[in-house]
Each structure stands twice: as C-alpha cells, then as structure tokens.
Amino acid sequence: DIQMTQSPSSLSASVGDRVTITCRASHYISNYLNWYQQKPGKAPKLLITAASGLESGVPSRFSGSGSGTDFTLTVSGLQPEDFGTFYCQQSYSLPWTFGQGTKVDSK
Amino acid sequence: QVQLQESGPGLVKPSETLSLTCTVSGDSISRSTYYWNWIRQPPGKGLEWIGYINYSGSANHNPSLKSRVTASVDTSKNQFSLSLTSVTAADTAVYFCARCRNGGCDYWGQGTLVTVSS
C-alpha cells in the first residue's frame, strides 16, 4: 500500500492567514493526488483533483501543487468557513489511501 | 443535483454481518465513468477506503479487510450495497458511500454510524 503522510497534524491560524499543508507519498504517484476538507459531522468535500485542479465551486484561495511524491495544499487568505480537517488521498494505485489529516483551528 | 443516501442498521452484533445500501439520485449508476465507493471513518480517526463497484459489477476492495467484503449493484434501483462479515468492535465507524473517479470522490452520502456491540 502507498502510505500518505501529512504535516503538520494540526495547526492554529487566524482569518487572513496563508496556510500550507504538505502531503508526502511513500511511492511515486504522479499527480494522482486529491485534497478534501471535512467539517465535524459532515462528509468530506473534494477541493482539488490531480494535484492542482480546482474542483468546480471551490474558491480560488485554495490551490494545490506537486508531483511525484511531494504535494502541497495552500489556502491564501483563510476565511472563517475554511476551518476543519484536511485530507490528501492518492488515486494512483489500489488500495486508495488517505493521509492522517491536518486539523486547522482558530488561533 | 447528485445525492447519495446510506441506509442500514446502526447496531450490529460482533461476528455478524454488516449490510448497508446506498441509494443514488440525480445520476445513473449505469454511467461507466464512475466508481461507486464505500469509505469509513472510525470515531475521531481518519478515512479508510473500503472498496468500489462499477455499473457492470466489477469490484475492488481493500486487502486490509481480507475477504470479508462483498459489494453488489442493482442498476434497476440505482443502488449499490456493502456487506462486511465477521464484524468486530474495530469495524465501528461512520460509513460513507461516495461517487468517485480517478480524480477523486466528488459526491458523498451524509454517512451512517454503525456500532458493533453486543
């Protein structure tokens, strides 16, 4: 299985901050990397596909980059509705696997 | 608007079989573009992919669940189902159904909590 490791596991930030989360794959996954946001009691929401493709309806302050094994999710100008837990997921090979999550809360 | 809705018992006894159904509206399971997935999340923990099935019944599942998983699809009802045998407390989780492609899972059900307890 491909292991996905996110860092940090948690962070505290303020509205307006620039937030960066990294995701590292244990093996090469090309750009088959997706990012989700999950709020308590809700299903995850797909934000970014193929490492850098913004899903329809997702604000442009979210961006993704990377290829191979190292990936980044950036939120440029954190908004109140952006707090929650973020997960990366690889869809390069089965079984699809997720990172352990990065919880973003209010400083 | 695509919607998915999980249904099934919220409580299952140890060693018994967990059975869930996902009803899809706003899209047809018969579309070949998508895989229809089950993903679970133990309380307070991260996400685990269980497996998927497509419209033709072709399925894959997470080897970590060994041979306990069976997936099925009923295109006439626009539903797909999950069966997980020999459950233990470790199978207690919120179970989500989701529509996915290689580019990720774009529509999810709200999730249903299944507790394994006697």
Side-chain angles (χ1 to χ4, degrees), chain B residues 26-84:
Chain B
D27 191 14
S28 171
I29 282 184
S30 298
R31 290 180 67 183
S32 60
T33 309
Y34 294 100
Y35 305 98
W36 302 93
N37 288 251
W38 293 98
I39 295 162
R40 70 181 182 179
Q41 185 171 38
K45 296 189 178 181
L47 299 161
E48 180 184 30
W49 178 74
I50 298 171
Y52 68 62
I53 192 166
N54 72 2
Y55 73 103
S56 67
S58 176
N60 273 290
H61 66 267
N62 196 323
S64 69
L65 296 167
K66 296 183 172 61
S67 56
R68 298 194 294 133
V69 174
T70 301
S72 61
V73 63
D74 186 337
T75 54
S76 67
K77 295 182 179 179
N78 221 32
Q79 295 176 333
F80 61 104
S81 298
L82 168 72
S83 177
L84 181 66

Side-chain angles (χ1 to χ4, degrees), chain A residues 34 36 38 43 46 49 87 91 96, chain B residues 37 41 49 102-103 105 108-109:
Chain A
N34 311 303
Y36 300 84
Q38 186 179 33
L46 181 62
T49 66
Y87 293 94
S91 50
W96 294 344
Chain B
N37 288 251
Q41 185 171 38
W49 178 74
N102 278 348
C105 303
W108 296 63

Side-chain angles (χ1 to χ4, degrees), chain A residues 85-102:
Chain A
T85 302
F86 294 84
Y87 293 94
C88 61
Q89 177 231 345
Q90 66 83 17
S91 50
Y92 180 77
S93 70
L94 296 175
W96 294 344
T97 47
F98 293 85
Q100 81 279 15
T102 296

